[in-house]
Amino acid sequence: MYFAALLARTEDGWEASDTDLDDVETLSDLTDLAREASVDEDTVLVFIEQEDAWFGVIRVDGEEDPRIYVSNASAATRSSYGEILLTDELLGREPGAEDSIAALEELVGLDGTEDGEPDNANHNSDHDNADDDDGIDAVPAGPLGDTGLLSDLGLPEAELLMLRTDALVEIADALGAAEVLETVR
C-alpha cells in the first residue's frame, strides 16, 4: 500500500494535500506537480511511502533541481514509484547506461559461451566468484540520496537516517507539520 502527499511551505506554515501519482511517470512530472503546489516558489516536500518497505522525500525549492532521499534504495527499485526517484544521477550511473547495456545484451550473448557451445554452469573460477554486486545494476540496500535535505527545516541527517516505521509522521512532526499531514493521511 502506498501513501503520497505534498507539504507546501507558506508564510502561514505548512499546507498538506494528498497526491495522486497515477499520471506521474518521471521525476520531471513529480517536480512539476510539486512546483504547481508551491506558493511564491517556497519549499515543497513530496512524501512517498510504501508501507513497511521504504519511503522517499523529494524537496523542491523554486526552480532549483529537486533533492531526493530514499530510505531503502533496493526496496524502492521493486516499486514503480521508487523507480521514478532512483534516477541515473542518484545511482551514480551515466545517463542512459541501463538502456545501453540492455541493447548490448540483446545484440550479443553475454553468457560467456559461443553459439553452439555448451554452457558449463558448474565452472568455478575466482573470477566467477567475484562480487557480482559491483556491476552497474547494483543498488544499495540502505539509504540513498541527499541526507541533509531536511536539516535546515528541523530534521538533522542523523535522525533522518534512523527513521524506519512511521517515518513520514516523524518527519512532519520535526517540521511542525504533523497535524496538517494527519488531515490527508
Side-chain angles (χ1 to χ4, degrees):
M1 181 164 167
Y2 288 96
F3 171 74
L6 283 169
L7 276 181
R9 192 174 188 178
T10 69
E11 61 185 42
D12 298 325
W14 292 96
E15 292 182 8
S17 59
D18 60 345
T19 304
D20 183 11
L21 299 178
D22 290 344
D23 295 330
V24 173
E25 295 179 8
T26 66
L27 182 59
S28 276
D29 294 343
L30 190 58
T31 303
D32 291 344
L33 184 69
R35 287 190 177 118
E36 289 170 12
S38 176
V39 177
D40 298 325
E41 295 189 1
D42 285 330
T43 299
V44 177
L45 301 174
V46 181
F47 293 154
I48 301 174
E49 177 182 61
Q50 182 179 4
E51 193 173 307
D52 296 329
W54 66 277
F55 69 90
V57 179
I58 302 89
R59 178 177 177 163
V60 178
D61 294 300
E63 291 300 315
E64 292 181 26
D65 288 340
R67 297 168 62 188
I68 303 167
Y69 173 79
V70 177
S71 66
N72 186 328
S74 67
T77 61
R78 295 183 293 276
S79 157
S80 58
Y81 297 130
E83 288 180 348
I84 291 170
L85 305 181
L86 297 173
T87 63
D88 287 337
E89 182 180 340
L90 191 65
L91 293 168
R93 297 178 182 160
E94 289 292 321
E98 196 170 277
D99 296 336
S100 298
I101 288 177
L104 284 173
E105 286 176 346
E106 197 172 297
L107 290 174
V108 296
L110 296 179
D111 64 357
T113 62
E114 297 289 330
D115 286 339
E117 185 178 312
D119 182 11
N120 294 329
N122 294 329
H123 61 290
N124 290 322
S125 70
D126 290 339
H127 176 71
D128 291 333
N129 292 330
D131 283 342
D132 290 335
D133 293 340
D134 291 339
I136 194 150
D137 293 330
V139 176
L144 186 65
D146 185 348
T147 58
L149 84 161
L150 300 172
S151 294
D152 65 322
L153 299 175
L155 188 68
E157 291 180 46
E159 289 182 32
L160 179 63
L161 289 168
M162 292 187 323
L163 296 176
R164 296 291 175 251
T165 58
D166 295 326
L168 300 185
V169 172
E170 290 185 44
I171 291 169
D173 189 42
L175 303 176
E179 288 181 23
V180 293
L181 181 66
E182 191 59 37
T183 62
V184 297
R185 203 154 169 95

